[in-house]
Amino acid sequence: MTLAEEIVLLLQLRIGFNPDSVGHEKVLASVQAYLKSQTIKDPAHFLDGLRRGNKAFQDVVDSVVVPETWFFRDGEPFELVKRFVSEWNPAAKGRTMRCLSVPCATGEEPYSIAMTLLDYGLPPARIAVDAVDICPLLLQRAKKGVYGAYSFRSADLSYRDRYFERRGEQYLLSKLVRERVNFEHGNLLNPLLMHDGRQYDLIFCRNLLIYFDPPAWKAALKALHRLLSDAGLLVVGHAEMLDLASPDFESVRYPNGFAYRKRRTPLPSSKSARAATPRRTQRAAEQPAALRAPARPTRPARLSAPAKPAKKQEAAASPPVPGAAPDLKEAGRLADQGRLDEAETICASALAANPGSAGAHYLMGLIKEAGGHPRQAEINYQRALYLDSKHHDAMIHLALILEGRGDASGAETLRKRAARVRPSA
Ligand SMILES: C[S@@+](CC[C@H](N)C(=O)[O-])C[C@H]1O[C@@H](n2cnc3c(N)ncnc32)[C@H](O)[C@@H]1O
């Protein structure tokens, strides 16, 4: 095993990062680039230092994490917060609402929670948001509270006028909001994380579980269960909702979507045994009816919108293997003819060869959707969007799926976002 491969494995063990979630080759390339920038005389000694969690380990983590985030990301979760606080407040008898955002990246999410609670009218002194991330560099930026245009991607920007002051091309967040949030460095997989008995009324854990392998996923759910109060609410990302069938959590339906709380009624034993295994197919069966049977969205007539040109980094990470590269265009053509199984086989090989291909995830989403599997399609569209945040067609299809299951505001947000980027050629 090469040094870079050893390091990728170490990352998987320590921070739960499943390299396949974004493309093994891509992660390996990032680690190799990092190693090139170092003078390493003794690889065994270097690896030893990493295992002990030295500064170099943190640098490697910084080189692979995905810090993508923006204010009021996805819209709907913050509607849930409004709803939740209006139910929580009357019974709270003046208590402080304790919230946790993990991972918080550069802080847009915890600050959005604080702004939502301020907008609701909770007195500032009753809002306490802890925000945790594994990457100290991101936390440093978060604490400054200075943001550029890329952090303001939601359709409604009225909060920016209320809580930010313009400084040239950037925006400084008001002290009122900044003081509500306390940033801490931490790893969700560290069993000692916040092990002082504290519990939260509201936890946001979004866009992290999708990068975890099953053991890390289980460890993360255990930590979240420990940190959530008995009446607390756990909010995860769209794609992660499918992942959260667990004997420990149950879904709570809200008019704008759903979240989770600690399970109050035990699962029947057979179901519980199934649910304890984090397999996507089993997880889907645990979801509320609204998700299990969404109305079929209307798809554009042509199934195989041509695969988008690969992003620069994809191409660099995974050069095509001459004569052996699975042909996505062929997969699209087969899908158009309704030969979904054959299309899926080719697309699956393309993804196995290059899991960081947004085009392949998008096409797989189309195939799954056409095959009547919107939940699986949703995961693929989410991954396509994660890999290429401007993938117009993935946004449109995802919007249709959200609409199909009654999430009008989520769909609307995606449509507006899609309108801001050019459609794929
Ligand atoms: C895509 S961002 C998500 C930010 C925010 N929750 C959102 O949805 O916009 C993922 C973040 O997870 C952090 N991260 C990765 N592994 C982690 C771990 N084991 N514990 C805590 N944070 C982690 C990364 O540093 C990165 O900032």
Side-chain angles (χ1 to χ4, degrees):
M1 207 187 266
T2 65
L3 179 59
E5 284 164 346
E6 294 260 20
I7 294 174
V8 171
L9 197 62
L10 184 65
L11 285 172
Q12 190 157 5
L13 289 174
R14 289 285 161 79
I15 71 165
F17 187 63
N18 175 7
D20 293 337
S21 64
V22 292
H24 202 287
E25 292 304 318
K26 196 170 151 188
V27 176
L28 205 56
S30 305
V31 173
Q32 277 158 347
Y34 169 76
L35 290 176
K36 261 194 184 160
S37 70
Q38 304 297 304
T39 317
I40 299 169
K41 291 191 183 125
D42 179 351
H45 179 71
F46 183 78
L47 194 58
D48 214 40
L50 295 183
R51 288 203 180 104
R52 289 197 310 273
N54 62 3
K55 161 83 173 64
F57 177 72
Q58 194 59 62
D59 292 343
V60 178
V61 171
D62 292 351
S63 74
V64 299
V65 294
V66 183
E68 177 84 351
T69 187
W70 59 94
F71 287 106
F72 292 97
R73 181 176 190 173
D74 304 331
E76 175 201 286
F78 301 94
E79 296 300 317
L80 292 188
V81 175
K82 281 186 206 162
R83 190 87 195 186
F84 177 65
V85 65
S86 66
E87 288 167 7
W88 172 91
N89 194 31
K93 301 196 174 82
R95 201 163 60 76
T96 296
M97 181 181 256
R98 295 188 53 91
C99 312
L100 171 67
S101 159
V102 56
C104 64
T106 36
E108 287 88 333
E109 181 178 277
Y111 286 139
S112 301
I113 296 172
M115 286 186 270
T116 306
L117 296 177
L118 286 167
D119 281 346
Y120 166 78
L122 218 54
R126 291 184 57 208
I127 301 171
V129 185
D130 285 340
V132 173
D133 200 278
I134 201 160
C135 183
L137 280 179
L138 301 178
L139 294 171
Q140 273 172 28
R141 282 168 49 195
K143 282 178 195 165
K144 287 188 183 142
V146 177
Y147 294 94
Y150 212 51
S151 296
F152 300 101
R153 285 183 252 173
S154 59
D156 174 10
L157 291 179
S158 54
Y159 65 91
R160 198 167 64 184
D161 300 330
R162 292 197 297 282
Y163 294 111
F164 288 81
E165 190 186 305
R166 192 166 184 158
R167 297 266 170 102
E169 291 299 296
Q170 303 214 294
Y171 294 84
L172 171 67
L173 182 59
S174 72
K175 210 169 160 200
L176 176 72
V177 181
R178 274 185 287 139
E179 284 181 344
R180 311 277 70 78
V181 182
N182 163 52
F183 291 96
E184 286 183 39
H185 177 227
N187 177 353
L188 185 59
L189 298 185
N190 179 352
L192 296 180
L193 177 77
M194 298 175 157
H195 223 289
D196 53 8
R198 66 181 114 162
Q199 287 197 315
Y200 294 92
D201 302 298
L202 176 69
I203 299 182
F204 266 50
C205 181
R206 302 193 305 148
N207 301 303
L208 178 60
L209 300 175
I210 42 169
Y211 307 118
F212 278 177
D213 55 16
W217 179 87
K218 272 187 164 181
L221 287 195
K222 200 171 164 193
L224 293 169
H225 193 265
R226 168 171 61 80
L227 292 167
L228 189 67
S229 70
D230 286 347
L233 195 74
L234 169 65
V235 178
V236 297
H238 275 311
E240 290 153 335
M241 287 178 189
L242 303 170
D243 289 357
L244 208 63
S246 149
D248 297 328
F249 292 99
E250 61 190 9
S251 56
V252 193
R253 195 89 181 92
Y254 281 95
N256 294 316
F258 62 91
Y260 292 87
R261 68 178 172 205
K262 284 186 175 178
R263 194 176 284 283
R264 290 169 187 179
T265 36
L267 287 171
S269 55
S270 59
K271 200 175 172 189
S272 144
R274 258 190 311 115
T277 313
R279 294 190 61 84
R280 288 183 190 283
T281 44
Q282 291 171 0
R283 286 174 225 153
E286 296 287 328
Q287 301 309 310
L291 248 197
R292 281 205 302 274
R296 291 273 293 131
T298 324
R299 281 186 298 104
R302 190 177 144 73
L303 180 64
S304 61
K308 280 181 65 111
K311 283 173 72 184
K312 248 196 245 154
Q313 56 184 20
E314 282 175 24
S318 303
V321 183
D327 184 350
L328 276 188
K329 279 206 173 129
E330 172 65 3
R333 202 178 55 75
L334 289 167
D336 268 343
Q337 293 169 2
R339 292 158 68 182
L340 296 180
D341 288 348
E342 291 160 79
E344 186 173 342
T345 305
I346 298 178
C347 202
S349 326
L351 279 171
N354 182 8
S357 162
H361 276 293
Y362 169 65
L363 182 55
M364 186 61 105
L366 292 177
I367 294 167
K368 293 287 182 196
E369 208 184 329
H373 305 291
R375 262 90 56 206
Q376 290 167 25
E378 184 175 343
I379 291 171
N380 286 107
Y381 293 144
Q382 289 274 10
R383 292 237 157 103
L385 272 180
Y386 159 69
L387 291 159
D388 175 1
S389 62
K390 295 192 173 142
H391 200 302
H392 174 273
D393 294 354
M395 287 179 213
I396 294 295
H397 279 266
L398 201 49
L400 286 166
I401 290 183
L402 295 190
E403 204 166 62
R405 69 166 190 237
D407 178 0
S409 75
E412 179 61 13
T413 304
L414 271 170
R415 284 225 172 78
K416 286 185 176 152
R417 191 175 148 197
R420 290 197 296 271
V421 297
R422 271 174 8 144
S424 333

